[in-house]
mmCIF file of all heavy atoms in Angstrom:
data_model
loop_
_atom_site.group_PDB
_atom_site.id
_atom_site.type_symbol
_atom_site.label_atom_id
_atom_site.label_comp_id
_atom_site.label_asym_id
_atom_site.label_seq_id
_atom_site.Cartn_x
_atom_site.Cartn_y
_atom_site.Cartn_z
ATOM 1 N N GLY A 45 -42.970 18.435 7.599
ATOM 2 C CA GLY A 45 -42.728 18.341 9.075
ATOM 3 C C GLY A 45 -43.095 16.928 9.656
ATOM 4 O O GLY A 45 -43.472 16.111 9.013
ATOM 5 N N LEU A 47 -44.853 14.910 13.206
ATOM 6 C CA LEU A 47 -45.658 14.805 14.484
ATOM 7 C C LEU A 47 -45.537 13.444 14.990
ATOM 8 O O LEU A 47 -45.542 12.436 14.235
ATOM 9 C CB LEU A 47 -47.065 15.206 14.176
ATOM 10 C CG LEU A 47 -47.457 16.625 14.136
ATOM 11 C CD1 LEU A 47 -48.967 16.753 13.708
ATOM 12 C CD2 LEU A 47 -47.262 17.456 15.337
ATOM 13 N N LEU A 49 -48.011 10.957 17.451
ATOM 14 C CA LEU A 49 -49.239 10.718 17.992
ATOM 15 C C LEU A 49 -48.999 9.612 19.010
ATOM 16 O O LEU A 49 -48.286 8.688 18.820
ATOM 17 C CB LEU A 49 -50.368 10.310 17.044
ATOM 18 C CG LEU A 49 -50.624 11.259 15.922
ATOM 19 C CD1 LEU A 49 -51.854 10.721 15.095
ATOM 20 C CD2 LEU A 49 -50.881 12.701 16.407
ATOM 21 N N ARG A 67 -57.732 7.182 10.225
ATOM 22 C CA ARG A 67 -57.856 8.653 10.032
ATOM 23 C C ARG A 67 -59.098 8.817 9.195
ATOM 24 O O ARG A 67 -59.421 7.995 8.340
ATOM 25 C CB ARG A 67 -56.656 9.213 9.307
ATOM 26 C CG ARG A 67 -56.354 8.846 7.983
ATOM 27 C CD ARG A 67 -55.055 9.424 7.482
ATOM 28 N NE ARG A 67 -54.647 9.166 6.030
ATOM 29 C CZ ARG A 67 -53.581 9.502 5.500
ATOM 30 N NH1 ARG A 67 -52.540 10.111 6.143
ATOM 31 N NH2 ARG A 67 -53.319 9.025 4.275
ATOM 32 N N VAL A 77 -54.679 3.572 8.737
ATOM 33 C CA VAL A 77 -53.314 4.075 8.496
ATOM 34 C C VAL A 77 -52.235 3.174 8.841
ATOM 35 O O VAL A 77 -51.357 2.910 7.948
ATOM 36 C CB VAL A 77 -53.117 5.376 9.361
ATOM 37 C CG1 VAL A 77 -51.675 5.956 9.121
ATOM 38 C CG2 VAL A 77 -54.130 6.427 9.054
ATOM 39 N N ALA A 78 -52.267 2.580 9.933
ATOM 40 C CA ALA A 78 -51.196 1.543 10.376
ATOM 41 C C ALA A 78 -51.786 0.697 11.480
ATOM 42 O O ALA A 78 -52.621 1.192 12.366
ATOM 43 C CB ALA A 78 -49.945 2.274 10.849
ATOM 44 N N TYR A 88 -49.190 -1.146 7.017
ATOM 45 C CA TYR A 88 -49.309 0.269 6.757
ATOM 46 C C TYR A 88 -50.148 0.479 5.387
ATOM 47 O O TYR A 88 -50.072 -0.320 4.496
ATOM 48 C CB TYR A 88 -47.972 0.933 6.495
ATOM 49 C CG TYR A 88 -47.117 0.956 7.700
ATOM 50 C CD1 TYR A 88 -46.059 -0.123 7.933
ATOM 51 C CD2 TYR A 88 -47.198 2.069 8.680
ATOM 52 C CE1 TYR A 88 -45.343 0.003 9.112
ATOM 53 C CE2 TYR A 88 -46.367 2.106 9.718
ATOM 54 C CZ TYR A 88 -45.516 1.014 9.951
ATOM 55 O OH TYR A 88 -44.689 1.020 11.032
ATOM 56 N N SER A 91 -50.265 4.717 1.237
ATOM 57 C CA SER A 91 -49.941 6.184 1.179
ATOM 58 C C SER A 91 -49.008 6.627 2.307
ATOM 59 O O SER A 91 -48.507 7.776 2.190
ATOM 60 C CB SER A 91 -51.347 6.873 1.326
ATOM 61 O OG SER A 91 -51.934 6.619 2.463
ATOM 62 N N VAL A 92 -48.789 5.843 3.262
ATOM 63 C CA VAL A 92 -47.910 6.289 4.422
ATOM 64 C C VAL A 92 -46.631 5.429 4.541
ATOM 65 O O VAL A 92 -45.718 5.795 5.384
ATOM 66 C CB VAL A 92 -48.659 6.394 5.690
ATOM 67 C CG1 VAL A 92 -49.937 7.162 5.557
ATOM 68 C CG2 VAL A 92 -48.906 4.925 6.175
ATOM 69 N N LYS A 93 -46.494 4.509 3.747
ATOM 70 C CA LYS A 93 -45.384 3.560 3.827
ATOM 71 C C LYS A 93 -44.031 4.380 3.653
ATOM 72 O O LYS A 93 -44.034 5.178 2.653
ATOM 73 C CB LYS A 93 -45.413 2.429 2.881
ATOM 74 C CG LYS A 93 -46.340 1.317 3.236
ATOM 75 C CD LYS A 93 -46.341 0.224 2.159
ATOM 76 C CE LYS A 93 -47.335 -0.928 2.542
ATOM 77 N NZ LYS A 93 -47.466 -1.900 1.585
ATOM 78 N N GLY A 94 -43.047 4.137 4.507
ATOM 79 C CA GLY A 94 -41.824 4.885 4.414
ATOM 80 C C GLY A 94 -41.833 6.166 5.163
ATOM 81 O O GLY A 94 -40.795 6.778 5.281
ATOM 82 N N ARG A 95 -43.072 6.650 5.425
ATOM 83 C CA ARG A 95 -43.180 7.939 6.205
ATOM 84 C C ARG A 95 -43.514 7.834 7.559
ATOM 85 O O ARG A 95 -43.119 8.678 8.436
ATOM 86 C CB ARG A 95 -44.024 8.943 5.452
ATOM 87 C CG ARG A 95 -43.609 9.265 4.026
ATOM 88 C CD ARG A 95 -44.512 10.280 3.358
ATOM 89 N NE ARG A 95 -45.898 9.820 3.270
ATOM 90 C CZ ARG A 95 -46.924 10.589 3.839
ATOM 91 N NH1 ARG A 95 -46.631 11.683 4.371
ATOM 92 N NH2 ARG A 95 -48.109 10.196 3.662
ATOM 93 N N PHE A 96 -44.444 6.988 7.902
ATOM 94 C CA PHE A 96 -45.031 6.802 9.218
ATOM 95 C C PHE A 96 -44.468 5.449 9.774
ATOM 96 O O PHE A 96 -44.206 4.437 9.183
ATOM 97 C CB PHE A 96 -46.574 6.592 9.163
ATOM 98 C CG PHE A 96 -47.177 7.868 8.774
ATOM 99 C CD1 PHE A 96 -46.576 8.962 8.295
ATOM 100 C CD2 PHE A 96 -48.640 8.010 8.831
ATOM 101 C CE1 PHE A 96 -47.226 10.207 7.916
ATOM 102 C CE2 PHE A 96 -49.371 9.142 8.470
ATOM 103 C CZ PHE A 96 -48.694 10.186 7.973
ATOM 104 N N THR A 97 -44.363 5.397 11.091
ATOM 105 C CA THR A 97 -43.921 4.237 11.873
ATOM 106 C C THR A 97 -44.776 4.090 13.097
ATOM 107 O O THR A 97 -44.885 5.039 13.911
ATOM 108 C CB THR A 97 -42.427 4.407 12.354
ATOM 109 O OG1 THR A 97 -41.589 4.614 11.265
ATOM 110 C CG2 THR A 97 -41.952 3.188 13.097
ATOM 111 N N ILE A 98 -45.434 2.938 13.193
ATOM 112 C CA ILE A 98 -46.246 2.585 14.347
ATOM 113 C C ILE A 98 -45.354 1.772 15.438
ATOM 114 O O ILE A 98 -44.510 0.935 14.913
ATOM 115 C CB ILE A 98 -47.528 1.881 13.949
ATOM 116 C CG1 ILE A 98 -48.462 1.777 15.105
ATOM 117 C CG2 ILE A 98 -47.185 0.498 13.311
ATOM 118 C CD1 ILE A 98 -49.863 1.219 14.641
ATOM 119 N N LEU A 109 -47.705 6.676 16.916
ATOM 120 C CA LEU A 109 -47.520 6.891 15.355
ATOM 121 C C LEU A 109 -46.547 8.072 15.148
ATOM 122 O O LEU A 109 -46.882 9.172 15.379
ATOM 123 C CB LEU A 109 -48.861 7.167 14.790
ATOM 124 C CG LEU A 109 -48.900 7.061 13.194
ATOM 125 C CD1 LEU A 109 -48.520 5.693 12.616
ATOM 126 C CD2 LEU A 109 -50.169 7.606 12.659
ATOM 127 N N GLN A 110 -45.316 7.725 14.640
ATOM 128 C CA GLN A 110 -44.420 8.632 14.303
ATOM 129 C C GLN A 110 -44.714 9.102 12.757
ATOM 130 O O GLN A 110 -44.583 8.170 11.860
ATOM 131 C CB GLN A 110 -43.045 8.245 14.409
ATOM 132 C CG GLN A 110 -41.896 9.220 14.071
ATOM 133 C CD GLN A 110 -41.921 10.449 14.829
ATOM 134 O OE1 GLN A 110 -42.047 10.449 16.035
ATOM 135 N NE2 GLN A 110 -41.731 11.665 14.172
ATOM 136 N N MET A 111 -44.970 10.306 12.539
ATOM 137 C CA MET A 111 -45.380 10.789 11.186
ATOM 138 C C MET A 111 -44.231 11.757 10.687
ATOM 139 O O MET A 111 -44.164 12.820 11.304
ATOM 140 C CB MET A 111 -46.741 11.356 11.220
ATOM 141 C CG MET A 111 -47.804 10.451 11.813
ATOM 142 S SD MET A 111 -49.435 11.140 11.670
ATOM 143 C CE MET A 111 -49.277 12.573 12.622
ATOM 144 N N ASN A 112 -43.666 11.391 9.667
ATOM 145 C CA ASN A 112 -42.530 12.119 9.098
ATOM 146 C C ASN A 112 -42.915 12.545 7.671
ATOM 147 O O ASN A 112 -43.842 11.906 7.022
ATOM 148 C CB ASN A 112 -41.213 11.455 9.111
ATOM 149 C CG ASN A 112 -40.767 11.138 10.433
ATOM 150 O OD1 ASN A 112 -41.019 11.742 11.469
ATOM 151 N ND2 ASN A 112 -39.979 10.017 10.558
ATOM 152 N N SER A 113 -42.221 13.589 7.177
ATOM 153 C CA SER A 113 -42.491 14.014 5.766
ATOM 154 C C SER A 113 -44.092 14.231 5.438
ATOM 155 O O SER A 113 -44.520 13.698 4.533
ATOM 156 C CB SER A 113 -41.956 12.947 4.753
ATOM 157 O OG SER A 113 -40.584 12.908 4.930
ATOM 158 N N LEU A 114 -44.674 14.874 6.358
ATOM 159 C CA LEU A 114 -46.113 15.084 6.242
ATOM 160 C C LEU A 114 -46.453 15.929 5.058
ATOM 161 O O LEU A 114 -45.775 16.777 4.639
ATOM 162 C CB LEU A 114 -46.702 15.701 7.607
ATOM 163 C CG LEU A 114 -46.808 14.739 8.762
ATOM 164 C CD1 LEU A 114 -46.874 15.468 10.071
ATOM 165 C CD2 LEU A 114 -47.967 13.796 8.605
ATOM 166 N N LYS A 115 -47.665 15.548 4.495
ATOM 167 C CA LYS A 115 -48.212 16.172 3.367
ATOM 168 C C LYS A 115 -49.637 16.788 3.623
ATOM 169 O O LYS A 115 -50.257 16.270 4.508
ATOM 170 C CB LYS A 115 -48.340 15.054 2.192
ATOM 171 C CG LYS A 115 -47.119 14.421 1.902
ATOM 172 C CD LYS A 115 -47.404 13.267 0.891
ATOM 173 C CE LYS A 115 -46.081 12.513 0.465
ATOM 174 N NZ LYS A 115 -46.398 11.463 -0.513
ATOM 175 N N ASP A 118 -52.403 14.458 4.309
ATOM 176 C CA ASP A 118 -52.451 13.690 5.581
ATOM 177 C C ASP A 118 -53.323 14.411 6.630
ATOM 178 O O ASP A 118 -53.580 13.811 7.666
ATOM 179 C CB ASP A 118 -50.972 13.597 6.139
ATOM 180 C CG ASP A 118 -50.030 12.726 5.357
ATOM 181 O OD1 ASP A 118 -50.497 11.663 4.890
ATOM 182 O OD2 ASP A 118 -48.834 13.133 5.264
ATOM 183 N N TYR A 122 -57.279 11.768 13.388
ATOM 184 C CA TYR A 122 -56.680 10.442 13.605
ATOM 185 C C TYR A 122 -57.214 9.792 14.858
ATOM 186 O O TYR A 122 -57.253 10.353 15.984
ATOM 187 C CB TYR A 122 -55.136 10.632 13.740
ATOM 188 C CG TYR A 122 -54.454 10.948 12.433
ATOM 189 C CD1 TYR A 122 -54.639 12.122 11.712
ATOM 190 C CD2 TYR A 122 -53.728 9.985 11.812
ATOM 191 C CE1 TYR A 122 -54.048 12.368 10.621
ATOM 192 C CE2 TYR A 122 -53.082 10.142 10.540
ATOM 193 C CZ TYR A 122 -53.276 11.341 9.955
ATOM 194 O OH TYR A 122 -52.688 11.599 8.722
ATOM 195 N N VAL A 146 -54.998 16.410 13.045
ATOM 196 C CA VAL A 146 -53.673 16.693 12.396
ATOM 197 C C VAL A 146 -54.008 17.550 11.178
ATOM 198 O O VAL A 146 -54.686 17.084 10.320
ATOM 199 C CB VAL A 146 -52.916 15.418 12.030
ATOM 200 C CG1 VAL A 146 -51.694 15.800 11.203
ATOM 201 C CG2 VAL A 146 -52.573 14.605 13.270
#
Side-chain angles (χ1 to χ4, degrees):
L47 278 177
L49 304 183
R67 67 186 181 187
V77 176
Y88 295 93
S91 59
V92 307
K93 282 181 181 177
R95 299 189 297 122
F96 291 10
T97 302
I98 189 170
L109 186 67
Q110 178 65 43
M111 304 185 295
N112 299 327
S113 302
L114 282 161
K115 304 175 181 180
D118 294 318
Y122 284 71
V146 172

